[in-house]
Amino acid sequence: AQSVTQLGSHVSVSEGALVLLRCNYSSSVPPYLFWYVQYPNQGLQLLLKYTSAATLVKGINGFEAEFKKSETSFHLTKPSAHMSDAAEYFCAVTPAGGTSYGKLTFGQGTILTVHP
Amino acid sequence: EAGVTQFPSHSVIEKGQTVTLRCDPISGHDNLYWYRRVMGKEIKFLLHFVKESKQDESGMPNNRFLAERTGGTYSTLKVQPAELEDSGVYFCASSQDPGQVASPLHFGNGTRLTVT
């Protein structure tokens, strides 16, 4: 069984400040982990994914995430927030070595607000 | 390439009525998924088609929900009769090869269903 917990349903930062969105997972088998972003009135878009290669993963739009097995975490960061980063962010997990990486277990989402 | 298309974008129906949601995947994508997000909850997997066959329907909530994908192209998700708890956003996603983690899910913009 797997589960994902995103700490903080809402995060607010100032433009130019560090963005940190937290994700912890629980999985009985080694997982693959994903971050998706949903901009208003759009579908989910893949930001980045961890697939057991490098533990520090770089994604689009300057985001990156670090897989920490000891902490069962996969937090998303961006050094400097931009107004266009305002969106809802979802962490998701799927078992590594599975037959369908399209079957994801999602966290509850974190809404990021960026203030000027 | 055209993305995953869903319609309608919004649907408001009364309890007991029937609603049919449609999803057109990206051309050439054999794999099609339905997900649902009930208000305030996480996005949950409903089912997975490979071409016209249901590969995994473990997430379907009950027998009021019927998904079809005749001919392996577009898919429909029918809710009959609709109940209040069916309200939420229904997402469709497609991918080329779910057995390859490098093959990402492409999501549609979702259909927001409101049952009154």
Side-chain angles (χ1 to χ4, degrees):
Chain A
Q2 307 167 96
S3 66
V4 177
T5 302
Q6 291 184 237
L7 298 176
S9 58
H10 290 80
V11 170
S12 181
V13 300
S14 298
E15 192 173 20
L18 171 72
V19 175
L20 171 60
L21 304 182
R22 299 178 187 272
C23 172
N24 287 87
Y25 69 91
S26 173
S27 179
S28 55
V29 297
Y32 288 162
L33 292 149
F34 306 81
W35 275 99
Y36 282 85
V37 60
Q38 184 183 21
Y39 299 104
N41 300 316
Q42 295 186 27
L44 280 74
Q45 178 182 357
L46 180 66
L47 270 180
L48 49 80
K49 59 179 183 269
Y50 166 75
T51 57
S52 72
T55 56
L56 182 62
V57 181
K58 294 187 184 299
I60 62 172
N61 301 336
F63 284 93
E64 63 181 38
E66 185 172 9
F67 174 71
K68 291 187 176 180
K69 185 178 180 180
S70 61
E71 299 177 6
T72 60
S73 68
F74 190 57
H75 301 331
L76 181 70
T77 61
K78 182 174 180 178
S80 176
H82 192 273
M83 297 295 290
S84 61
D85 295 325
E88 189 163 17
Y89 293 77
F90 297 91
C91 184
V93 63
T94 194
T99 58
S100 175
Y101 297 123
K103 185 178 181 181
L104 303 175
T105 299
F106 283 90
Q108 291 192 315
T110 298
I111 296 173
L112 176 66
T113 303
V114 182
H115 297 286
Chain B
E1 64 180 3
V4 176
T5 305
Q6 292 185 247
F7 48 92
S9 57
H10 293 82
S11 180
V12 181
I13 62 172
E14 293 183 352
K15 176 182 173 180
Q17 289 186 323
T18 298
V19 63
T20 300
L21 314 181
R22 173 168 168 151
C23 169
D24 286 68
I26 292 173
S27 178
H29 282 191
D30 288 339
N31 297 275
L32 186 148
Y33 302 81
W34 284 97
Y35 283 83
R36 177 175 76 166
R37 188 182 193 192
V38 172
M39 184 71 70
K41 302 282 190 178
E42 65 273 19
I43 300 168
K44 286 197 170 180
F45 167 84
L46 295 179
L47 86 160
H48 169 206
F49 281 102
V50 178
K51 296 185 180 179
E52 68 274 9
S53 299
K54 293 176 185 175
Q55 181 79 10
D56 181 348
E57 52 184 327
S58 60
M60 294 289 267
N62 52 61
N63 59 9
R64 295 185 294 103
F65 289 76
L66 175 64
E68 295 181 318
R69 193 182 181 194
T70 306
T73 54
Y74 70 91
S75 174
T76 58
L77 180 64
K78 180 189 290 187
V79 185
Q80 179 181 28
E83 298 289 345
L84 297 179
E85 63 264 27
D86 301 332
S87 296
V89 181
Y90 291 76
F91 291 101
C92 177
S94 70
S95 71
Q96 282 187 311
D97 182 358
Q100 297 292 326
V101 70
S103 181
L105 278 183
H106 298 265
F107 281 85
N109 289 355
T111 294
R112 181 174 296 277
L113 174 64
T114 302
V115 182
T116 63

